[in-house]
Amino acid sequence: MENAGMHFFTEFLGSLILIILGNGVVANVVLKNTKGYKSPFLMIALGWGFAVAVGATVAAALGGKAHLNPAVTIAVVVNGWESGVGSWGLLPIFIAAQFLGFFVGQIIVDLFYFDHIKKYFKKDSEDFGTKSVLAMHSTGPQTRTLWVNFFSEFIGTALLVAFILAIGKIGTLPTYLGPIFVGMVIMAIGCSLSGTTGYAINPFRDFTPRIVYQLLTFLPFANREESADWQYSWIPVIAPMSAGVLVGALFLI
């Protein structure tokens, strides 16, 4: 089995960078009094694409596989095309590292924008009770139709995973180009398919920051009634993981 410690570190670091830049750009757009407030949604799509490219490049440069997404990891394991990481034995290492990376990364984002976040939680603020802080942590549907929401996340993730597995099958691209192309696909999905759910297409990109948001509600100045919308939270987890399993299996054909 390949070096588990190295894989843990690179997945942790890549995931940390990804969420700092990814949810950082969302915070810059949705929080009042930031330089990027009310910027076009294209800024978020571009920011997330570059976030993935930067995180994956750093992880790959340090010798990692740069999955940074449990849906990608499960697809690779199911497909089994990659030596070592095709083993179920490394799956817990990747999953744990990704979760921790997103968790710590989101805390860094919240500290970075802490002065802005406080205004949304204080009861004497005109912005009290708005969903802007939740939006900089997790996704949510424009229209809450669960089967449509599930379908949206499933299709977006399936396209991402299919592209990543296709690159692995081709195997002739310079290593450094992989993260760049994946970042471009993230941008394309964001521009084309984000209008319904905000395109999580990564279970931990949504679930882990949602936990951090829930923890924010326990701060002394926060409103305990603020909801993390756990009723919806299973969609951006189960749909991407289902897509990863199915696409990983289809690439065995």
Side-chain angles (χ1 to χ4, degrees):
M1 184 180 292
E2 296 185 45
N3 189 319
M6 181 271 291
H7 284 306
F8 184 93
F9 174 72
T10 55
E11 283 294 310
F12 168 80
L13 183 60
S15 298
L16 177 108
I17 293 171
L18 187 158
I19 202 66
I20 289 175
L21 297 179
N23 273 355
V25 71
V26 179
N28 193 23
V29 171
V30 304
L31 298 180
K32 281 187 176 180
N33 298 318
T34 60
K35 297 291 187 179
Y37 181 54
K38 288 189 176 181
S39 295
F41 187 82
L42 179 61
M43 182 173 174
I44 292 178
L46 294 176
W48 263 103
F50 284 117
V52 172
V54 173
T57 297
V58 171
L62 295 175
K65 300 300 182 182
H67 294 172
L68 316 186
N69 184 336
V72 173
T73 299
I74 194 65
V76 169
V77 171
V78 168
N79 186 259
W81 56 261
E82 196 172 2
S83 175
V85 183
S87 167
W88 289 95
L90 279 176
L91 181 61
I93 301 298
F94 275 67
I95 298 299
Q98 291 160 1
F99 179 89
L100 187 60
F102 283 122
F103 188 86
V104 176
Q106 185 61 53
I107 290 175
I108 292 173
V109 174
D110 288 351
L111 289 173
F112 193 95
Y113 285 101
F114 192 66
D115 285 341
H116 296 81
I117 290 172
K118 283 194 299 184
K119 296 177 182 178
Y120 288 88
F121 278 102
K122 288 184 176 179
K123 292 185 177 181
D124 59 351
S125 169
E126 63 179 10
D127 299 314
F128 172 74
T130 67
K131 298 300 181 182
S132 296
V133 179
L134 179 60
M136 63 164 281
H137 288 79
S138 57
T139 61
Q142 290 296 98
T143 302
R144 194 175 292 260
T145 306
L146 293 184
W147 75 266
V148 174
N149 305 148
F150 187 97
F151 181 76
S152 299
E153 289 294 336
F154 183 92
I155 294 299
T157 309
L159 292 172
L160 171 63
V161 172
F163 180 80
I164 292 173
L165 292 182
I167 290 179
K169 292 290 187 182
I170 294 171
T172 57
L173 293 173
T175 303
Y176 64 86
L177 287 180
I180 296 174
F181 285 153
V182 172
M184 292 173 62
V185 171
I186 295 292
M187 293 181 194
I189 295 172
C191 291
S192 303
L193 303 177
S194 63
T196 55
T197 62
Y199 84 124
I201 61 176
N202 181 332
F204 286 165
R205 169 266 175 274
D206 187 281
F207 178 71
T208 310
R210 198 181 294 265
I211 293 175
V212 176
Y213 174 84
Q214 189 67 70
L215 294 176
L216 280 178
T217 66
F218 291 99
L219 292 174
F221 58 80
N223 174 22
R224 300 294 192 277
E225 297 177 359
E226 284 295 296
S227 170
D229 196 9
W230 290 109
Q231 295 84 355
Y232 175 78
S233 64
W234 66 274
I235 295 285
V237 173
I238 302 301
M241 292 300 286
S242 300
V245 171
L246 180 60
V247 175
L250 287 176
F251 266 72
L252 290 172
I253 299 175

